[in-house]
Amino acid sequence: MVKIEVEHRGRLTAEKFNDLTKLFSKKAKFISVKKRFSIVYSNNIEKKSVREDKDNPIDLKLRVTNGQPEIALKYGKWSGKDARREFGFHIAPEQYEDFIEFLKILGYDQAVLMANTKYDYRYHDVEFSLVEVPDWGYYFEAEMLVEENQKKAAEKKIDAEVEALGLKVFSEEEFYDLLDELNNRPGVKIDLSKVETSDLKKKYGEYFRKE
């Protein structure tokens, strides 16, 4: 059965990122470090704001995490707090470029590029990710993967843990502003029909290396 990912997000200062890293290193269970490069597919990269696409429930990504490619889909309404169906399938590294071509044939040729490093911890039954975006800054994700009938309880649990840590979750408008800030950085919007995959792998080579 497909699980529901209940996820809350918020911005972090460098100071708060460091404080949480210290706290989690002592009080939480360390899960992993994920160096991740994502091709986040878009209906139209000319749009100035994600607000123009806010009613689209499809969030499709082709990503590489610690050298392992996968295709990931989240389905449902998205915002600073959301609960969406999540699907993920690993791809053999040698098939990565084939999948880019496959998705182009299906009409997915416009995208936003995202590279980050995620530090994942389990704290009081909630998975926290401290996310560092190079040359930009930091944010957090707090999530639980649950059955449909557990969704409301998970939302309350995450709210309580986030509040106890002194964190603030994005409002819907704040989340749109964050995405616009990330998506409108120079060089991250691309038309894949005009880009060689080998150039992407060369530019983001550190994310394609197996950890």
Side-chain angles (χ1 to χ4, degrees):
M1 181 178 292
V2 176
K3 297 273 191 173
I4 303 294
E5 181 190 62
V6 180
E7 185 173 20
H8 297 182
R9 310 171 188 85
R11 193 186 291 266
L12 294 174
T13 63
E15 181 181 11
K16 192 64 175 178
F17 178 90
N18 290 331
D19 288 345
L20 287 172
T21 299
K22 291 175 184 175
L23 173 68
F24 289 161
S25 66
K26 296 177 181 177
K27 303 287 188 179
K29 179 183 178 183
F30 173 74
I31 300 174
S32 65
V33 176
K34 295 174 182 170
K35 290 183 68 68
R36 176 172 286 171
F37 168 70
S38 300
I39 297 175
V40 183
Y41 288 95
S42 170
N43 287 337
N44 185 350
I45 56 175
E46 298 304 319
K47 293 175 181 177
K48 297 299 183 184
S49 174
V50 296
R51 290 172 176 82
E52 299 176 56
D53 208 27
K54 65 183 177 64
D55 294 323
N56 180 5
I58 295 175
D59 179 7
L60 180 65
K61 300 180 178 76
L62 186 62
R63 63 194 187 193
V64 180
T65 304
N66 296 340
Q68 173 62 59
E70 65 178 325
I71 189 162
L73 171 67
K74 294 182 182 181
Y75 184 83
K77 180 175 172 56
W78 45 272
S79 69
K81 289 182 178 182
D82 54 48
R84 299 183 288 175
R85 299 173 73 193
E86 181 179 29
F87 306 81
F89 306 95
H90 282 176
I91 300 167
E94 61 271 18
Q95 292 181 312
Y96 179 76
E97 294 183 32
D98 292 340
F99 264 84
I100 291 179
E101 294 302 315
F102 173 76
L103 290 169
K104 277 198 270 187
I105 290 170
L106 293 178
Y108 292 99
D109 57 7
Q110 298 187 60
V112 176
L113 305 180
M114 173 63 73
N116 58 44
T117 302
K118 300 179 66 175
Y119 303 86
D120 296 339
Y121 301 86
R122 184 165 299 282
Y123 181 72
H124 296 176
D125 298 322
V126 176
E127 183 171 321
F128 280 87
S129 295
L130 306 182
V131 186
E132 179 178 10
V133 181
D135 303 316
W136 180 81
Y138 308 90
Y139 64 94
F140 75 88
E141 300 170 344
E143 67 179 60
M144 297 179 73
L145 203 58
V146 299
E147 306 288 351
E148 177 71 38
N149 61 2
Q150 300 171 315
K151 187 170 67 174
K152 288 186 178 180
E155 289 172 346
K156 288 182 180 179
K157 171 67 174 174
I158 295 172
D159 274 336
E161 294 299 335
V162 166
E163 184 177 353
L165 290 168
L167 302 175
K168 183 178 182 296
V169 174
F170 290 123
S171 68
E172 193 168 281
E173 288 300 314
E174 288 170 339
F175 187 56
Y176 296 155
D177 288 341
L178 168 83
L179 292 180
D180 287 343
E181 191 177 324
L182 288 169
N183 293 351
N184 290 315
R185 291 172 298 156
V188 301
K189 290 184 176 180
I190 63 166
D191 182 339
L192 289 162
S193 66
K194 301 176 181 178
V195 174
E196 293 292 333
T197 306
S198 58
D199 291 337
L200 289 180
K201 294 177 79 171
K202 191 178 298 182
K203 182 176 180 180
Y204 295 95
E206 64 181 290
Y207 297 92
F208 287 84
R209 289 192 288 271
K210 282 277 188 182
E211 293 293 320

Short mmCIF file of all heavy atoms in Angstrom, two decimals, residues 73-124:
data_model
loop_
_atom_site.label_atom_id
_atom_site.label_comp_id
_atom_site.label_asym_id
_atom_site.label_seq_id
_atom_site.Cartn_x
_atom_site.Cartn_y
_atom_site.Cartn_z
N LEU A 73 8.02 10.57 -7.42
CA LEU A 73 6.79 11.30 -7.64
C LEU A 73 6.06 11.49 -6.32
O LEU A 73 5.85 10.53 -5.57
CB LEU A 73 5.88 10.54 -8.61
CG LEU A 73 4.45 11.09 -8.79
CD1 LEU A 73 4.48 12.44 -9.48
CD2 LEU A 73 3.58 10.11 -9.56
N LYS A 74 5.69 12.73 -6.05
CA LYS A 74 4.80 13.02 -4.93
C LYS A 74 3.52 13.57 -5.54
O LYS A 74 3.57 14.42 -6.45
CB LYS A 74 5.41 14.01 -3.96
CG LYS A 74 6.64 13.46 -3.24
CD LYS A 74 7.21 14.46 -2.24
CE LYS A 74 8.46 13.91 -1.57
NZ LYS A 74 9.02 14.86 -0.58
N TYR A 75 2.37 13.10 -5.01
CA TYR A 75 1.09 13.48 -5.60
C TYR A 75 0.17 14.04 -4.53
O TYR A 75 -0.09 13.38 -3.51
CB TYR A 75 0.43 12.26 -6.27
CG TYR A 75 -0.86 12.61 -6.98
CD1 TYR A 75 -0.84 13.11 -8.27
CD2 TYR A 75 -2.08 12.46 -6.34
CE1 TYR A 75 -2.02 13.45 -8.92
CE2 TYR A 75 -3.27 12.80 -6.97
CZ TYR A 75 -3.23 13.29 -8.27
OH TYR A 75 -4.39 13.63 -8.90
N GLY A 76 -0.31 15.27 -4.77
CA GLY A 76 -1.22 15.90 -3.83
C GLY A 76 -0.93 17.38 -3.71
O GLY A 76 0.02 17.90 -4.30
N LYS A 77 -1.74 18.07 -2.94
CA LYS A 77 -1.55 19.50 -2.73
C LYS A 77 -0.28 19.73 -1.94
O LYS A 77 0.01 19.03 -0.97
CB LYS A 77 -2.76 20.08 -1.97
CG LYS A 77 -2.64 21.58 -1.70
CD LYS A 77 -3.90 22.13 -1.07
CE LYS A 77 -3.71 23.59 -0.63
NZ LYS A 77 -3.29 24.48 -1.71
N TRP A 78 0.50 20.74 -2.32
CA TRP A 78 1.78 21.00 -1.67
C TRP A 78 1.82 22.41 -1.10
O TRP A 78 1.25 23.34 -1.63
CB TRP A 78 2.94 20.79 -2.66
CG TRP A 78 2.73 21.40 -4.01
CD1 TRP A 78 2.11 20.82 -5.09
CD2 TRP A 78 3.11 22.71 -4.44
NE1 TRP A 78 2.08 21.68 -6.15
CE2 TRP A 78 2.69 22.85 -5.79
CE3 TRP A 78 3.75 23.77 -3.82
CZ2 TRP A 78 2.90 24.01 -6.53
CZ3 TRP A 78 3.97 24.94 -4.55
CH2 TRP A 78 3.55 25.05 -5.90
N SER A 79 2.52 22.52 0.03
CA SER A 79 2.73 23.83 0.68
C SER A 79 3.78 23.63 1.77
O SER A 79 4.49 22.62 1.78
CB SER A 79 1.42 24.37 1.26
OG SER A 79 1.01 23.59 2.37
N GLY A 80 3.88 24.60 2.70
CA GLY A 80 4.83 24.45 3.81
C GLY A 80 4.52 23.25 4.67
O GLY A 80 5.40 22.62 5.25
N LYS A 81 3.23 22.89 4.74
CA LYS A 81 2.76 21.67 5.39
C LYS A 81 1.97 20.89 4.35
O LYS A 81 1.04 21.43 3.76
CB LYS A 81 1.82 21.97 6.56
CG LYS A 81 2.43 22.59 7.78
CD LYS A 81 1.32 22.75 8.83
CE LYS A 81 1.85 23.34 10.13
NZ LYS A 81 0.77 23.43 11.14
N ASP A 82 2.33 19.64 4.12
CA ASP A 82 1.52 18.87 3.19
C ASP A 82 1.53 17.39 3.56
O ASP A 82 2.32 16.93 4.39
CB ASP A 82 1.95 19.08 1.73
CG ASP A 82 3.42 18.82 1.48
OD1 ASP A 82 3.93 17.78 1.94
OD2 ASP A 82 4.07 19.65 0.82
N ALA A 83 0.61 16.66 2.94
CA ALA A 83 0.50 15.22 3.13
C ALA A 83 0.21 14.63 1.75
O ALA A 83 -0.91 14.79 1.23
CB ALA A 83 -0.60 14.87 4.13
N ARG A 84 1.22 14.00 1.15
CA ARG A 84 1.08 13.55 -0.24
C ARG A 84 1.44 12.08 -0.39
O ARG A 84 2.23 11.54 0.39
CB ARG A 84 1.98 14.39 -1.15
CG ARG A 84 1.65 15.87 -1.14
CD ARG A 84 2.51 16.66 -2.10
NE ARG A 84 3.89 16.79 -1.64
CZ ARG A 84 4.86 17.35 -2.36
NH1 ARG A 84 4.60 17.80 -3.57
NH2 ARG A 84 6.07 17.45 -1.88
N ARG A 85 0.87 11.45 -1.40
CA ARG A 85 1.27 10.09 -1.74
C ARG A 85 2.66 10.16 -2.37
O ARG A 85 2.95 11.05 -3.16
CB ARG A 85 0.28 9.47 -2.71
CG ARG A 85 -1.13 9.36 -2.17
CD ARG A 85 -2.11 8.90 -3.23
NE ARG A 85 -1.92 7.48 -3.53
CZ ARG A 85 -2.46 6.88 -4.59
NH1 ARG A 85 -3.20 7.56 -5.44
NH2 ARG A 85 -2.27 5.59 -4.78
N GLU A 86 3.51 9.21 -2.00
CA GLU A 86 4.90 9.25 -2.45
C GLU A 86 5.27 7.93 -3.13
O GLU A 86 5.01 6.84 -2.62
CB GLU A 86 5.83 9.50 -1.27
CG GLU A 86 7.30 9.59 -1.66
CD GLU A 86 8.21 9.87 -0.48
OE1 GLU A 86 7.85 9.47 0.65
OE2 GLU A 86 9.26 10.48 -0.68
N PHE A 87 5.92 8.05 -4.28
CA PHE A 87 6.41 6.90 -5.03
C PHE A 87 7.89 7.12 -5.36
O PHE A 87 8.28 8.24 -5.68
CB PHE A 87 5.65 6.73 -6.36
CG PHE A 87 4.16 6.67 -6.23
CD1 PHE A 87 3.41 7.84 -6.10
CD2 PHE A 87 3.49 5.46 -6.25
CE1 PHE A 87 2.02 7.79 -6.00
CE2 PHE A 87 2.11 5.40 -6.15
CZ PHE A 87 1.37 6.57 -6.02
N GLY A 88 8.69 6.08 -5.29
CA GLY A 88 10.10 6.20 -5.64
C GLY A 88 10.64 4.89 -6.18
O GLY A 88 10.35 3.82 -5.64
N PHE A 89 11.41 4.97 -7.28
CA PHE A 89 11.94 3.77 -7.91
C PHE A 89 13.40 3.99 -8.30
O PHE A 89 13.72 4.96 -9.00
CB PHE A 89 11.13 3.41 -9.17
CG PHE A 89 9.65 3.27 -8.91
CD1 PHE A 89 8.80 4.35 -9.13
CD2 PHE A 89 9.13 2.08 -8.43
CE1 PHE A 89 7.44 4.24 -8.88
CE2 PHE A 89 7.77 1.96 -8.18
CZ PHE A 89 6.92 3.03 -8.41
N HIS A 90 14.27 3.13 -7.84
CA HIS A 90 15.68 3.22 -8.20
C HIS A 90 15.88 2.90 -9.68
O HIS A 90 15.14 2.09 -10.26
CB HIS A 90 16.51 2.26 -7.35
CG HIS A 90 16.77 2.78 -5.97
ND1 HIS A 90 17.44 2.07 -5.01
CD2 HIS A 90 16.46 3.96 -5.38
CE1 HIS A 90 17.52 2.77 -3.90
NE2 HIS A 90 16.93 3.92 -4.10
N ILE A 91 16.89 3.53 -10.24
CA ILE A 91 17.25 3.33 -11.64
C ILE A 91 18.72 2.91 -11.68
O ILE A 91 19.53 3.44 -10.93
CB ILE A 91 17.08 4.65 -12.44
CG1 ILE A 91 15.63 5.13 -12.37
CG2 ILE A 91 17.55 4.49 -13.88
CD1 ILE A 91 15.48 6.56 -12.87
N ALA A 92 19.05 1.99 -12.55
CA ALA A 92 20.46 1.62 -12.72
C ALA A 92 21.22 2.85 -13.23
O ALA A 92 20.72 3.57 -14.11
CB ALA A 92 20.59 0.48 -13.71
N PRO A 93 22.41 3.14 -12.68
CA PRO A 93 23.15 4.34 -13.10
C PRO A 93 23.33 4.46 -14.61
O PRO A 93 23.26 5.57 -15.16
CB PRO A 93 24.50 4.18 -12.39
CG PRO A 93 24.16 3.40 -11.15
CD PRO A 93 23.10 2.43 -11.58
N GLU A 94 23.52 3.33 -15.28
CA GLU A 94 23.73 3.37 -16.73
C GLU A 94 22.44 3.72 -17.49
O GLU A 94 22.49 3.99 -18.70
CB GLU A 94 24.30 2.05 -17.24
CG GLU A 94 23.43 0.83 -17.02
CD GLU A 94 23.66 0.14 -15.69
OE1 GLU A 94 24.26 0.77 -14.77
OE2 GLU A 94 23.27 -1.03 -15.58
N GLN A 95 21.29 3.72 -16.80
CA GLN A 95 20.02 4.05 -17.45
C GLN A 95 19.58 5.49 -17.20
O GLN A 95 18.53 5.92 -17.70
CB GLN A 95 18.91 3.11 -16.95
CG GLN A 95 19.08 1.67 -17.39
CD GLN A 95 17.93 0.80 -16.89
OE1 GLN A 95 17.56 0.86 -15.71
NE2 GLN A 95 17.35 0.01 -17.78
N TYR A 96 20.38 6.25 -16.47
CA TYR A 96 20.00 7.61 -16.10
C TYR A 96 19.69 8.47 -17.33
O TYR A 96 18.63 9.10 -17.41
CB TYR A 96 21.12 8.24 -15.28
CG TYR A 96 20.87 9.67 -14.85
CD1 TYR A 96 20.00 9.97 -13.81
CD2 TYR A 96 21.50 10.74 -15.50
CE1 TYR A 96 19.76 11.29 -13.41
CE2 TYR A 96 21.28 12.05 -15.11
CZ TYR A 96 20.41 12.31 -14.07
OH TYR A 96 20.17 13.62 -13.68
N GLU A 97 20.60 8.48 -18.30
CA GLU A 97 20.39 9.29 -19.49
C GLU A 97 19.21 8.78 -20.30
O GLU A 97 18.49 9.58 -20.93
CB GLU A 97 21.67 9.34 -20.32
CG GLU A 97 22.81 10.07 -19.60
CD GLU A 97 24.06 10.19 -20.45
OE1 GLU A 97 23.93 10.30 -21.68
OE2 GLU A 97 25.16 10.17 -19.87
N ASP A 98 18.99 7.46 -20.31
CA ASP A 98 17.84 6.90 -21.02
C ASP A 98 16.53 7.42 -20.42
O ASP A 98 15.57 7.70 -21.15
CB ASP A 98 17.85 5.37 -20.95
CG ASP A 98 18.98 4.75 -21.74
OD1 ASP A 98 19.53 5.43 -22.63
OD2 ASP A 98 19.34 3.59 -21.46
N PHE A 99 16.48 7.54 -19.09
CA PHE A 99 15.27 8.02 -18.45
C PHE A 99 15.02 9.49 -18.76
O PHE A 99 13.85 9.91 -18.90
CB PHE A 99 15.32 7.79 -16.94
CG PHE A 99 14.63 6.54 -16.50
CD1 PHE A 99 15.30 5.32 -16.54
CD2 PHE A 99 13.30 6.56 -16.09
CE1 PHE A 99 14.66 4.14 -16.17
CE2 PHE A 99 12.65 5.40 -15.72
CZ PHE A 99 13.33 4.18 -15.75
N ILE A 100 16.07 10.28 -18.87
CA ILE A 100 15.89 11.67 -19.28
C ILE A 100 15.25 11.73 -20.66
O ILE A 100 14.30 12.49 -20.91
CB ILE A 100 17.22 12.43 -19.25
CG1 ILE A 100 17.70 12.62 -17.81
CG2 ILE A 100 17.09 13.81 -19.94
CD1 ILE A 100 19.02 13.33 -17.66
N GLU A 101 15.75 10.90 -21.59
CA GLU A 101 15.20 10.86 -22.94
C GLU A 101 13.76 10.34 -22.93
O GLU A 101 12.89 10.84 -23.64
CB GLU A 101 16.08 9.98 -23.84
CG GLU A 101 17.46 10.53 -24.08
CD GLU A 101 17.44 11.92 -24.70
OE1 GLU A 101 16.66 12.13 -25.65
OE2 GLU A 101 18.17 12.80 -24.20
N PHE A 102 13.51 9.31 -22.13
CA PHE A 102 12.17 8.72 -21.99
C PHE A 102 11.17 9.77 -21.55
O PHE A 102 10.07 9.91 -22.11
CB PHE A 102 12.25 7.57 -20.99
CG PHE A 102 10.93 6.97 -20.60
CD1 PHE A 102 10.26 6.11 -21.46
CD2 PHE A 102 10.36 7.23 -19.37
CE1 PHE A 102 9.04 5.54 -21.10
CE2 PHE A 102 9.15 6.67 -18.99
CZ PHE A 102 8.49 5.82 -19.87
N LEU A 103 11.54 10.55 -20.52
CA LEU A 103 10.64 11.58 -20.00
C LEU A 103 10.48 12.73 -21.00
O LEU A 103 9.40 13.34 -21.08
CB LEU A 103 11.15 12.09 -18.66
CG LEU A 103 11.02 11.07 -17.51
CD1 LEU A 103 11.79 11.54 -16.28
CD2 LEU A 103 9.56 10.83 -17.16
N LYS A 104 11.51 13.02 -21.78
CA LYS A 104 11.38 14.05 -22.81
C LYS A 104 10.33 13.65 -23.84
O LYS A 104 9.52 14.48 -24.28
CB LYS A 104 12.73 14.30 -23.50
CG LYS A 104 13.64 15.24 -22.74
CD LYS A 104 14.74 15.79 -23.61
CE LYS A 104 15.97 14.95 -23.60
NZ LYS A 104 17.09 15.58 -24.32
N ILE A 105 10.33 12.37 -24.22
CA ILE A 105 9.33 11.88 -25.18
C ILE A 105 7.93 12.05 -24.63
O ILE A 105 6.97 12.33 -25.37
CB ILE A 105 9.62 10.40 -25.52
CG1 ILE A 105 10.90 10.29 -26.35
CG2 ILE A 105 8.45 9.77 -26.28
CD1 ILE A 105 11.40 8.88 -26.55
N LEU A 106 7.77 11.90 -23.31
CA LEU A 106 6.47 12.07 -22.67
C LEU A 106 6.10 13.54 -22.45
O LEU A 106 5.03 13.83 -21.92
CB LEU A 106 6.46 11.34 -21.32
CG LEU A 106 6.55 9.80 -21.39
CD1 LEU A 106 6.57 9.23 -19.98
CD2 LEU A 106 5.41 9.20 -22.20
N GLY A 107 6.98 14.44 -22.87
CA GLY A 107 6.68 15.87 -22.76
C GLY A 107 7.35 16.58 -21.60
O GLY A 107 7.12 17.78 -21.41
N TYR A 108 8.16 15.86 -20.84
CA TYR A 108 8.85 16.48 -19.70
C TYR A 108 10.25 16.92 -20.15
O TYR A 108 11.21 16.17 -20.07
CB TYR A 108 8.95 15.49 -18.54
CG TYR A 108 7.62 15.18 -17.89
CD1 TYR A 108 6.93 14.01 -18.22
CD2 TYR A 108 7.05 16.05 -16.97
CE1 TYR A 108 5.71 13.73 -17.63
CE2 TYR A 108 5.83 15.77 -16.38
CZ TYR A 108 5.16 14.61 -16.72
OH TYR A 108 3.95 14.33 -16.15
N ASP A 109 10.32 18.16 -20.64
CA ASP A 109 11.62 18.66 -21.10
C ASP A 109 12.00 19.99 -20.47
O ASP A 109 13.06 20.54 -20.77
CB ASP A 109 11.65 18.77 -22.63
CG ASP A 109 10.54 19.66 -23.19
OD1 ASP A 109 9.83 20.30 -22.39
OD2 ASP A 109 10.40 19.70 -24.42
N GLN A 110 11.15 20.52 -19.59
CA GLN A 110 11.47 21.75 -18.88
C GLN A 110 11.59 21.45 -17.40
O GLN A 110 10.80 20.68 -16.85
CB GLN A 110 10.39 22.80 -19.12
CG GLN A 110 10.26 23.19 -20.58
CD GLN A 110 9.30 24.33 -20.78
OE1 GLN A 110 9.51 25.44 -20.26
NE2 GLN A 110 8.26 24.11 -21.55
N ALA A 111 12.59 22.04 -16.77
CA ALA A 111 12.87 21.66 -15.39
C ALA A 111 13.65 22.74 -14.66
O ALA A 111 14.19 23.68 -15.25
CB ALA A 111 13.66 20.35 -15.37
N VAL A 112 13.70 22.55 -13.35
CA VAL A 112 14.55 23.36 -12.47
C VAL A 112 15.55 22.42 -11.83
O VAL A 112 15.20 21.32 -11.39
CB VAL A 112 13.71 24.07 -11.38
CG1 VAL A 112 14.62 24.82 -10.40
CG2 VAL A 112 12.70 25.02 -12.01
N LEU A 113 16.81 22.83 -11.78
CA LEU A 113 17.86 22.01 -11.18
C LEU A 113 18.04 22.38 -9.71
O LEU A 113 18.02 23.56 -9.35
CB LEU A 113 19.18 22.20 -11.92
CG LEU A 113 19.15 21.95 -13.43
CD1 LEU A 113 20.53 22.19 -14.03
CD2 LEU A 113 18.67 20.54 -13.75
N MET A 114 18.22 21.37 -8.89
CA MET A 114 18.42 21.59 -7.45
C MET A 114 19.52 20.67 -6.95
O MET A 114 19.48 19.46 -7.20
CB MET A 114 17.12 21.32 -6.69
CG MET A 114 17.27 21.35 -5.17
SD MET A 114 17.75 22.96 -4.51
CE MET A 114 16.23 23.87 -4.74
N ALA A 115 20.48 21.23 -6.25
CA ALA A 115 21.54 20.43 -5.61
C ALA A 115 21.60 20.82 -4.14
O ALA A 115 21.54 22.01 -3.79
CB ALA A 115 22.89 20.69 -6.28
N ASN A 116 21.67 19.82 -3.28
CA ASN A 116 21.76 20.11 -1.85
C ASN A 116 22.37 18.93 -1.11
O ASN A 116 22.58 17.86 -1.68
CB ASN A 116 20.38 20.48 -1.25
CG ASN A 116 19.34 19.40 -1.44
OD1 ASN A 116 19.60 18.22 -1.23
ND2 ASN A 116 18.13 19.80 -1.81
N THR A 117 22.65 19.17 0.15
CA THR A 117 23.10 18.10 1.05
C THR A 117 22.15 18.06 2.24
O THR A 117 21.87 19.08 2.86
CB THR A 117 24.54 18.35 1.55
OG1 THR A 117 25.41 18.44 0.42
CG2 THR A 117 25.00 17.20 2.44
N LYS A 118 21.63 16.85 2.51
CA LYS A 118 20.65 16.66 3.58
C LYS A 118 21.27 15.82 4.69
O LYS A 118 21.87 14.77 4.42
CB LYS A 118 19.40 15.94 3.05
CG LYS A 118 18.69 16.68 1.95
CD LYS A 118 17.47 15.89 1.45
CE LYS A 118 16.42 15.80 2.52
NZ LYS A 118 15.18 15.13 2.02
N TYR A 119 21.11 16.28 5.92
CA TYR A 119 21.58 15.56 7.09
C TYR A 119 20.34 15.05 7.83
O TYR A 119 19.58 15.84 8.38
CB TYR A 119 22.42 16.47 7.98
CG TYR A 119 23.61 17.07 7.25
CD1 TYR A 119 23.48 18.24 6.51
CD2 TYR A 119 24.85 16.44 7.27
CE1 TYR A 119 24.56 18.78 5.82
CE2 TYR A 119 25.94 16.97 6.59
CZ TYR A 119 25.78 18.14 5.87
OH TYR A 119 26.85 18.67 5.19
N ASP A 120 20.14 13.74 7.80
CA ASP A 120 18.90 13.15 8.28
C ASP A 120 19.07 12.53 9.67
O ASP A 120 20.03 11.79 9.92
CB ASP A 120 18.42 12.07 7.33
CG ASP A 120 18.05 12.62 5.96
OD1 ASP A 120 17.79 13.83 5.86
OD2 ASP A 120 18.03 11.84 4.99
N TYR A 121 18.09 12.81 10.54
CA TYR A 121 18.09 12.30 11.90
C TYR A 121 16.67 11.84 12.26
O TYR A 121 15.69 12.39 11.75
CB TYR A 121 18.50 13.38 12.91
CG TYR A 121 19.85 13.99 12.69
CD1 TYR A 121 20.01 15.08 11.82
CD2 TYR A 121 20.98 13.52 13.36
CE1 TYR A 121 21.25 15.66 11.63
CE2 TYR A 121 22.22 14.10 13.19
CZ TYR A 121 22.35 15.17 12.32
OH TYR A 121 23.59 15.75 12.14
N ARG A 122 16.58 10.88 13.17
CA ARG A 122 15.27 10.52 13.74
C ARG A 122 15.25 11.03 15.17
O ARG A 122 16.07 10.65 15.99
CB ARG A 122 15.04 9.01 13.70
CG ARG A 122 13.63 8.64 14.21
CD ARG A 122 13.28 7.22 13.83
NE ARG A 122 13.26 7.03 12.39
CZ ARG A 122 12.27 7.42 11.58
NH1 ARG A 122 11.22 8.02 12.10
NH2 ARG A 122 12.34 7.21 10.29
N TYR A 123 14.28 11.90 15.44
CA TYR A 123 14.19 12.56 16.75
C TYR A 123 12.75 12.46 17.22
O TYR A 123 11.82 12.98 16.58
CB TYR A 123 14.61 14.03 16.60
CG TYR A 123 14.59 14.84 17.86
CD1 TYR A 123 15.55 14.65 18.86
CD2 TYR A 123 13.62 15.82 18.06
CE1 TYR A 123 15.53 15.41 20.02
CE2 TYR A 123 13.60 16.59 19.21
CZ TYR A 123 14.56 16.38 20.19
OH TYR A 123 14.55 17.14 21.34
N HIS A 124 12.54 11.76 18.33
CA HIS A 124 11.19 11.58 18.88
C HIS A 124 10.21 11.06 17.83
O HIS A 124 9.09 11.56 17.70
CB HIS A 124 10.68 12.89 19.49
CG HIS A 124 11.50 13.36 20.66
ND1 HIS A 124 11.26 14.56 21.30
CD2 HIS A 124 12.55 12.80 21.32
CE1 HIS A 124 12.13 14.71 22.30
NE2 HIS A 124 12.93 13.65 22.32
#
